[in-house]
């Protein structure tokens, strides 16, 4: 049987094989595992959509039996056979294998390095290009893709226009300590983007409601389970929008992502053994508390936080543990927020900003708020933050020519997906994680 022939027969994916019960089908994939039991073989195949157990008898199918006997893990194979219901098999169906074509045989003397046993995480991260084949990792990546699809769908449905922002930028927008500097052409310096926000403020003035969704870079020097140096951020920005509009948009977006994964990736969540009862209730409205209330709660719980402190992972965990869905904390002290945040007109020491904290200790998944629209105030804030005014002239133009109140936020994709999947560390939810000490593979 050739690849060409196989595509002309009843080619199916493992995910959909159950719909072909009783029929003869062909699968194209890899040998995940093989159990030999005398005159019977029980191979397990994978094809990227799931796992399927096969059964081959030496007596009935000697050729297929010989092709599979002793076949090494991860050898690529095209197999045909009849689908039958088997409640004990993973997925509820098995394949009575009749034909096998080995596309590439993994050599016996150089076996697949990741065996079906526990390995240390550094060992696995060094082999991330292979690790992603394991059912758990593949399930996570399928959930990530669904979360992205749902996020785009939500933003598009809300009338937001995708405007891609640059990755090379002339200046910092989220503080210089996490800036990646790159050598640009002819002695010029550039920096990898820490956020598309400043550019989105320009596209929002051009198009009204906009968003970007792309890679973001931060030279995070501390090792935590929620920071990558390269991650993906979805950032909406809207002209004439205020703090309240963005809190509502964020809760709608997060809820749609969670509900879409629950609906369309139930099998993958099961592979991860995720307790989905903790996700089912993630629907608007999310509880909202002020920063002042948050500090009070922390102090009541014996946390040493004082008014004026920024919250770290521990504080976020305490705050979110009181709720069954994400909690929105708003009106932080201006001093701990970015230079562009609009002060609260009722209390100038507060910024009209908010963070959305995920439950179960996953921390901040959204940070955002209203931006300064006033030219003089923005210039003052740039100076106070020792930022180079020349580099921000184009940004100041947005306050010179038709300035309007506007607001937006950034949602961290990996934090959100890590919470949905229930992974311990966010490094598992991106195909190739970049972290403080890791850029390989
Ligand atoms: P934190 O204080 O948790 O480091 P931040 O306040 O610096 O985050 P923002 O600038 O508000 O983050 O960025 C918006 C969102 O991007 C965050 O809410 C988070 O979900 C995500 N994010 C920020 N930094 C990282 C990172 N290093 N790795 C992964 N996601 C991140
Ligand atoms: Mg933040």
């Amino acid at each position: 049987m050739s690849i060409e022939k196989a595509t002309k027969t009843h080619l199916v994916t493992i995910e959909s094989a159950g719909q072909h019960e009783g029929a003869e089908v062909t699968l194209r994939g890899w040998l995940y595992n093989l159990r030999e039991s005398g005159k019977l073989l029980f191979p397990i195949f994978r094809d990227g959509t799931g796992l399927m157990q096969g059964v081959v008898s030496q007596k009935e199918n000697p050729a297929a039996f010989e092709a599979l006997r002793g076949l090494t893990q991860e050898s690529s194979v095209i197999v045909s056979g009849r689908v039958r219901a088997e409640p004990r098999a993973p997925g509820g169906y098995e394949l009575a294998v009749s034909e096998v074509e080995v596309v590439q045989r993994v050599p016996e003397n150089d076996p697949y390095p990741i065996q079906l046993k526990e390995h240390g995480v550094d060992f696995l991260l060094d082999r991330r290009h292979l690790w992603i084949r394991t059912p758990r990792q593949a399930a996570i990546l399928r959930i990530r893709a669904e979360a992205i699809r749902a996020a785009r769908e939500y933003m598009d449905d809300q009338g937001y226009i995708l405007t891609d922002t640059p990755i090379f930028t002339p200046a910092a927008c989220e503080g210089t300590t996490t800036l990646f500097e790159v050598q640009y052409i002819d002695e010029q310096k550039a920096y990898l983007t820490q956020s598309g926000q400043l550019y989105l403020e320009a596209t929002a003035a051009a198009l009204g409601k906009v968003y970007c969704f792309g890679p973001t870079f931060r030279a995070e020097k501390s090792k935590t389970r929620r920071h990558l140096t390269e991650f993906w951020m979805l950032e909406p920005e809207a002209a004439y929008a205020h703090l309240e509009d963005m809190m509502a948009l964020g809760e709608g977006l997060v809820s749609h992502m969670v509900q879409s994964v629950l609906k369309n990736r139930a099998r993958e969540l099961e592979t991860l053994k995720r307790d989905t009862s903790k996700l089912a209730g993630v629907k608007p409205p999310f509880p909202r508390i002020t920063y002042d209330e948050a500090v009070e709660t922390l102090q009541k719980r014996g946390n040493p936080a004082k008014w004026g402190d920024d919250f770290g992972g521990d504080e976020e965990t305490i705050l979110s543990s009181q709720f069954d869905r994400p909690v929105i904390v708003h009106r932080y002290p201006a001093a701990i927020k970015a230079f562009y945040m609009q002060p609260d007109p009722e209390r100038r020491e507060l910024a009209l900003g908010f963070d959305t904290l995920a439950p179960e200790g996953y921390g901040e998944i959204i940070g955002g708020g209203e931006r300064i629209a006033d030219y003089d105030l923005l210039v003052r804030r740039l100076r106070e933050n020792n930022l180079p005014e020349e580099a921000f002239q184009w940004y100041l133009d947005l306050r010179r020519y038709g300035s309007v109140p506007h607001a937006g936020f950034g949602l961290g994709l990996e934090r959100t997906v890590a919470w949905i999947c229930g992974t311990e560390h966010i490094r598992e939810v991106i195909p190739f994680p970049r972290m403080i000490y890791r850029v390989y593979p």
Side-chain angles (χ1 to χ4, degrees), residues 277-289:
S277 70
K278 295 220 166 80
L279 297 173
V282 176
K283 291 182 181 155
F286 294 171
R288 288 156 165 68
I289 59 173

Side-chain angles (χ1 to χ4, degrees), residues 174 218 310 316 337 341 354-355 364 366-368 410:
E174 295 295 325
R218 295 196 189 172
D310 202 358
E316 290 174 358
K337 288 290 174 190
M341 288 250 191
F354 74 101
D355 284 353
E364 183 192 322
I366 290 182

Side-chain angles (χ1 to χ4, degrees), residues 218 220 226-228 231 233 364-367 410 412 415:
R218 295 196 189 172
E220 304 281 2
R226 28 174 107 163
H227 289 94
L228 298 167
F231 62 99
M233 187 147 71
E364 183 192 322
I365 51 173
I366 290 182
R415 296 247 185 113

